[in-house]
Amino acid sequence: MGKVTGSEAFLLSLIKENVDTIFGYPGGTIMPVYDRLYYHTDRLRHILTRHEQGAVHAAQGYARVSGKTGVVIATSGPGATNLTTGLADAMIDSTPLVCIVGQVGSPLLGTDAFQETDFIGISMPITKWNYQITDAAEVPHIIAKAFYIARSGRPGPVVVDFTKNAQVGSCDFRYEKCSFVRSYVPTPQVNEAEVAAAAAAINGAQKPFALVGQGVELANAEKELLALLEKADIPFGWTLLGKSVAPSNHPLNMGMLGMHGGYAPNKKTNECDVLIAIGMRFDDRITSDTSAYARQAKVVHLEIDRAEISKSIKADFPVLANLKESLPLLAQAVSEARRAGWISSFEPYAAQEFARVIAPQLHPGKGAITMGEAVHQISQKTGGKAILATDVGQQQMVAARYFEVAQPRSIVTSGGLGTMGFGLPAAIGAKVAAPNREVVLFVGDGGIQMTIQELGTIMQEQIGVKMVLLNNGFLGMVRQWQELFFGRRYVATPMVNPDFVKLAEAYGIRGRRVSERAELRDAVDEMFAYSGAYLLEVAVQPEGNVFPMIPAGASLDNIRFE
């Protein structure tokens, strides 16, 4: 193509990587890129968020739903540092991002120039890879490498620090997609002996139980997973991020694992004889007290990241490979089985939970609206077809428990980092990725106020997200812990809130508040009948709690119903 500027080379590189959407916020050191973007708006849609944190969370939502790599652009200094929460969130939740941040010119590096920060140093612990471009000639190669690293193997965020002199300098543009980096082996080759050993363990089991996580979704191996589980008749539970790897109504689906998971899957973890972990990392919210976790079981662990094998829970039969490759081989090697007795043994536990927790949540009959009944009514309305987005807190756990999904890539939430403020911008990104699907956000009165300025992004871009604000007037999850473990000393958790409906209306977004049960169904119908963005505020029990609950550090057998 001849000579182009570094900025032009960068944008052309994005086009070569089939990028169609960028989330960002301009500033001084990234202006040359934005100037060249003026000439590419026919191929690159730029969404101006109201804060850089909003941009990175929106890119996460986009990546989770689309299966593509999210792209973010920000300026140097505070623009870059505002990305750090989202980078840390993407790193722990394995979300592929390429974040390009402006930087002062090379001669000014290290001089404490205006809006200079060492973002390479800052971002190193929370990125999969980062690099500082100081010469325009580096641009095509580094951008290609960034995309390859971000999406290959176990995905994650990559940062490219782009000095201003490299943006305005010239180079010859020639782009080749990257498929190899020396010393980087993102996908281990499947070991057939490991698969055979795992299959033998499963074939010898009387009471196998599978734990499935987001790794299945990242590998696009949902069909391969079900082929294995259905052939060997293995019941399964799922991690929070693994919720949509299989339909909620699948007969082998026993529900969510962990601190606020179901009674049956948690109890059966400590009763099974073979525990099969598939694309999950044994997070402490799943295992709680590891010394008392599944001690009776042999552990099969299918995983792509060697660092996760035996990190928290010892794997007796590790299978290190991409699930897209290992699951079909394992499904071929296991024997067909029918385990009606083992599967039916989950039912008494499920019945106890239904009577003591679920029925009072979904059908309270009197008193204030519960979070559970609000989520349940909306779930029924969407029929499993919607994408579930959440913030972090009580509404997140209730939504995960009671909102049903039927399709892959249908949950967008912050798992490992637990980022309040994630939900609203992530829902925006999800809707951009899937404009023809309904995106329903559940958010609390605390979380929404952390990124509430992104209502402006919804207004400007006309993004039709359905926002359900479950308002209890507290920082609800912290208040629950204060009630249960700190003698009801409610310090810094009660909240005096604004009129959220008026705020939404100020941004041109239709809204409605309900506090009476009799109004709820009509409000839900109205929200979904409206084609644009909608904020439904539901006043729920001020001191409602999320149960079951396993106290932090306790064993799975110490699960509480109250």
Side-chain angles (χ1 to χ4, degrees):
M1 293 185 64
K3 295 287 186 181
V4 299
T5 65
S7 297
E8 180 76 3
F10 162 63
L11 295 171
L12 292 173
S13 298
L14 295 187
I15 292 167
K16 290 287 189 181
E17 289 290 343
N18 299 315
V19 172
D20 53 25
T21 305
I22 302 166
F23 301 89
Y25 204 98
T29 63
I30 200 69
M31 282 306 299
V33 167
Y34 274 89
D35 183 55
R36 293 308 305 172
L37 183 59
Y38 180 87
Y39 300 97
H40 295 289
T41 53
D42 58 332
R43 289 182 287 183
L44 294 171
R45 178 186 183 186
H46 181 277
I47 294 178
L48 175 66
T49 58
R50 296 306 186 260
H51 191 282
E52 291 87 356
Q53 184 177 350
V56 69
H57 290 329
Q60 287 176 271
Y62 177 89
R64 296 269 191 91
V65 170
S66 68
K68 300 178 181 179
T69 301
V71 178
V72 181
I73 303 180
T75 195
S76 63
T81 58
N82 283 341
L83 299 178
T84 54
T85 297
L87 290 170
D89 193 288
M91 184 67 175
I92 199 167
D93 281 353
S94 304
T95 304
L97 299 179
V98 171
C99 298
I100 298 89
V101 297
Q103 184 57 277
V104 300
S106 297
L108 293 176
L109 290 172
T111 68
D112 293 329
F114 179 66
Q115 291 193 333
E116 180 199 2
T117 57
D118 177 12
F119 199 57
I120 293 295
I122 290 169
S123 64
M124 189 174 293
I126 53 173
T127 52
K128 191 175 175 184
W129 183 65
N130 62 17
Y131 187 87
Q132 185 176 74
I133 294 177
T134 58
D135 187 325
E138 298 179 284
V139 172
H141 168 66
I142 293 303
I143 297 303
K145 188 174 179 180
F147 274 89
Y148 173 63
I149 291 174
R151 67 179 170 232
S152 58
R154 181 178 180 176
V158 167
V159 160
V160 176
D161 200 49
F162 200 1
T163 60
K164 199 164 186 178
N165 60 288
Q167 295 175 48
V168 300
S170 64
C171 65
D172 292 311
F173 182 75
R174 181 168 175 266
Y175 197 80
E176 293 182 7
K177 288 191 177 184
C178 180
S179 60
F180 171 78
V181 175
R182 189 175 63 183
S183 77
Y184 171 57
V185 184
T187 305
Q189 186 173 357
V190 64
N191 184 318
E192 293 186 7
E194 291 181 348
V195 173
I202 294 169
N203 289 337
Q206 298 299 310
K207 299 183 291 184
F209 185 44
L211 316 180
V212 302
Q214 186 195 200
V216 176
E217 197 166 76
L218 294 173
N220 297 311
E222 294 89 349
K223 291 180 180 178
E224 291 81 358
L225 170 74
L226 290 180
L228 167 68
L229 299 178
E230 290 170 357
K231 180 181 180 182
D233 209 21
I234 300 170
F236 67 93
W238 38 269
T239 68
L240 176 63
L241 295 185
K243 177 178 174 66
S244 65
V245 300
S248 297
N249 63 0
H250 193 284
L252 294 174
N253 190 339
M254 299 300 162
M256 187 167 72
L257 302 158
M259 178 175 280
H260 290 289
Y263 190 37
N266 279 320
K267 290 290 286 186
K268 289 299 181 177
T269 297
N270 279 357
E271 293 181 23
C272 66
D273 56 2
V274 173
L275 192 67
I276 309 156
I278 305 173
M280 55 86 71
R281 59 186 179 85
F282 288 111
D283 175 78
D284 64 291
R285 282 295 190 263
I286 297 294
T287 65
S288 200
D289 180 6
T290 55
S291 69
Y293 183 82
R295 306 302 294 176
Q296 81 293 339
K298 294 293 185 181
V299 176
V300 175
H301 195 175
L302 283 73
E303 174 60 49
I304 197 170
D305 186 353
R306 187 181 301 274
E308 296 297 346
I309 299 290
S310 297
K311 184 176 79 172
S312 302
I313 300 297
K314 182 181 181 300
D316 300 289
F317 304 99
V319 179
L320 188 67
N322 188 323
L323 294 176
K324 194 75 171 177
E325 299 176 15
S326 60
L327 281 172
L329 293 175
L330 187 59
Q332 186 177 3
V334 299
S335 303
E336 283 197 41
R338 288 295 170 261
R339 309 180 195 273
W342 167 235
I343 292 169
S344 66
S345 72
F346 284 71
E347 293 173 6
Y349 292 120
Q352 288 185 57
E353 180 182 349
F354 184 84
R356 299 180 64 180
V357 175
I358 298 175
Q361 266 289 308
L362 303 192
H363 311 289
K366 59 182 180 179
I369 299 169
T370 69
M371 289 191 179
E373 67 179 311
V375 170
H376 181 60
Q377 281 201 24
I378 293 165
S379 178
Q380 286 185 313
K381 185 72 177 179
T382 61
K385 297 178 182 178
I387 294 167
L388 167 65
T390 85
D391 206 77
V392 167
Q394 288 183 313
Q395 37 70 37
Q396 177 188 35
M397 295 294 101
V398 172
R401 286 175 54 80
Y402 300 125
F403 195 91
E404 295 195 351
V405 297
Q407 299 174 234
R409 296 192 176 273
S410 292
I411 183 165
V412 178
T413 192
S414 173
L417 198 65
T419 303
M420 287 181 68
F422 174 91
L424 180 56
I428 291 170
K431 185 65 175 177
V432 171
N436 296 322
R437 293 186 66 188
E438 205 73 83
V439 175
V440 181
L441 166 68
F442 290 95
V443 63
D445 46 316
I448 195 171
Q449 292 184 81
M450 288 194 167
T451 49
I452 199 166
Q453 71 278 352
E454 299 308 329
L455 293 176
T457 306
I458 290 174
M459 174 180 64
Q460 182 165 339
E461 296 289 336
Q462 295 294 295
I463 298 170
V465 176
K466 309 303 184 188
M467 298 163 279
V468 184
L469 170 56
L470 301 179
N471 189 346
N472 57 15
F474 280 99
L475 297 176
M477 189 61 85
V478 182
R479 185 215 56 77
Q480 178 169 334
W481 282 53
Q482 288 174 331
E483 175 186 337
L484 299 178
F485 310 117
F486 295 91
R488 291 181 179 267
R489 293 183 289 277
Y490 294 165
V491 177
T493 49
M495 299 195 74
V496 177
N497 290 313
D499 186 324
F500 290 107
V501 173
K502 286 184 178 178
L503 268 174
E505 290 173 350
Y507 284 100
I509 297 169
R510 185 176 293 188
R512 179 173 173 180
R513 185 179 194 271
V514 298
S515 57
E516 300 297 328
R517 182 167 290 107
E519 302 175 276
L520 182 58
R521 189 169 300 279
D522 179 66
V524 171
D525 290 343
E526 179 183 308
M527 177 172 68
F528 287 108
Y530 184 63
S531 61
Y534 194 105
L535 176 70
L536 174 58
E537 179 185 0
V538 184
V540 296
Q541 292 175 328
E543 295 183 75
N545 290 329
V546 186
F547 290 110
M549 180 182 184
I550 301 168
S555 74
L556 298 187
D557 292 325
N558 294 125
I559 196 165
R560 295 178 57 163
F561 287 124
E562 57 186 22

